Amino acid sequence: MTNEELQKLIEKISSDVFGKPFLHASRFNSRLRTTGGRYMLSCHSIEINPLVLNIHGIDEMIGVIKHELCHYHLHIEGKGYRHRDEDFRELLKQTSSPRFCKPLSDESPKRIIYHLYRCLSCKLEYRRRRRMDVRKYRCGKCAGIIEEMQTVK
C-alpha cells in the first residue's frame, strides 16, 4: 500500500465512520517502533506504522486509523483528545475503535541481567541492574566492604 492509497483510505474512513472530512496529510512512518500510529498535534497529520499492515493485516490497520482519527477530530473540535479524557473514551466506544494496538514484535521481552554483589561482613546480597563501583559504596546495613559476585541472567 502506498502513501496515496493510505491517504484515500483515511479520508474514506473519516467520512464513513465519523461523518467528517479528513483535511490533512497522512503517511507511513517505518521509524515508529512501539506504536501502531500517531496523530501529530502541530500539523494535524497522521502517521501509520507499516508493520501493522504487514504483521496484523488490513483490519488491524483500520482500527489504528480509527483510533488516530478520534484524536484528530476531537483535537480539531477543541474537545478532550488525550487517552485519559472522557470525550476520547466515549468516541472510541461510539466508533468501535481499539484503545491499544496489538504488539508489533514477535519477540518475548528481553530478560533482565542483574549484577550480584555481597557484603563481606554480614553477607547481605544486592541485586542491581546497573554495575556499580564497589570502591565507592559500603553496605547499608553494617558499612562493610562490598564485592561483586557474578552476573545473573
Side-chain angles (χ1 to χ4, degrees), residues 6-72:
L6 176 67
Q7 179 75 29
K8 288 179 184 174
L9 179 62
I10 290 177
E11 289 170 0
K12 182 177 183 336
I13 292 171
S14 180
S15 64
D16 292 350
V17 177
F18 295 88
K20 301 171 188 171
F22 177 72
L23 304 172
H24 293 85
S26 66
R27 65 188 151 278
F28 284 109
N29 184 350
S30 59
R31 291 177 312 225
L32 297 176
R33 296 265 182 219
T34 59
T35 184
R38 70 177 172 184
Y39 165 63
M40 311 279 286
L41 292 172
S42 59
C43 61
H44 306 294
S45 65
I46 292 177
E47 294 181 342
I48 302 294
N49 190 336
L51 286 177
V52 174
L53 180 62
N54 296 340
I55 294 174
H56 299 299
I58 189 73
D59 291 334
E60 181 68 20
M61 189 175 83
I62 289 172
V64 170
I65 290 170
K66 289 194 314 188
H67 177 99
E68 300 307 326
L69 283 171
C70 288
H71 288 296
Y72 172 81

Side-chain angles (χ1 to χ4, degrees), residues 10-142:
I10 290 177
E11 289 170 0
K12 182 177 183 336
I13 292 171
S14 180
S15 64
D16 292 350
V17 177
F18 295 88
K20 301 171 188 171
F22 177 72
L23 304 172
H24 293 85
S26 66
R27 65 188 151 278
F28 284 109
N29 184 350
S30 59
R31 291 177 312 225
L32 297 176
R33 296 265 182 219
T34 59
T35 184
R38 70 177 172 184
Y39 165 63
M40 311 279 286
L41 292 172
S42 59
C43 61
H44 306 294
S45 65
I46 292 177
E47 294 181 342
I48 302 294
N49 190 336
L51 286 177
V52 174
L53 180 62
N54 296 340
I55 294 174
H56 299 299
I58 189 73
D59 291 334
E60 181 68 20
M61 189 175 83
I62 289 172
V64 170
I65 290 170
K66 289 194 314 188
H67 177 99
E68 300 307 326
L69 283 171
C70 288
H71 288 296
Y72 172 81
H73 288 299
L74 289 171
H75 183 247
I76 295 291
E77 294 169 6
K79 296 181 181 177
Y81 60 88
R82 295 185 175 122
H83 287 112
R84 66 177 177 260
D85 294 330
E86 189 62 35
D87 292 333
F88 181 75
R89 291 183 185 202
E90 188 61 36
L91 188 57
L92 283 178
K93 288 179 189 173
Q94 290 173 4
T95 59
S96 301
S97 302
R99 183 125 186 259
F100 303 104
C101 178
K102 289 183 181 176
L104 295 175
S105 67
D106 297 331
E107 301 174 8
S108 60
K110 294 181 181 176
R111 297 186 71 188
I112 299 171
I113 297 174
Y114 290 99
H115 300 282
L116 185 63
Y117 300 92
R118 186 179 347 171
C119 173
L120 295 175
S121 301
C122 67
K123 308 297 184 210
L124 182 67
E125 290 187 352
Y126 298 92
R127 286 180 181 246
R128 297 288 181 265
R129 288 188 183 184
R130 291 186 177 185
R131 293 191 67 179
M132 63 183 230
D133 188 356
V134 294
R135 295 172 294 171
K136 291 183 177 180
Y137 298 97
R138 294 291 187 128
C139 176
K141 183 177 177 184
C142 70

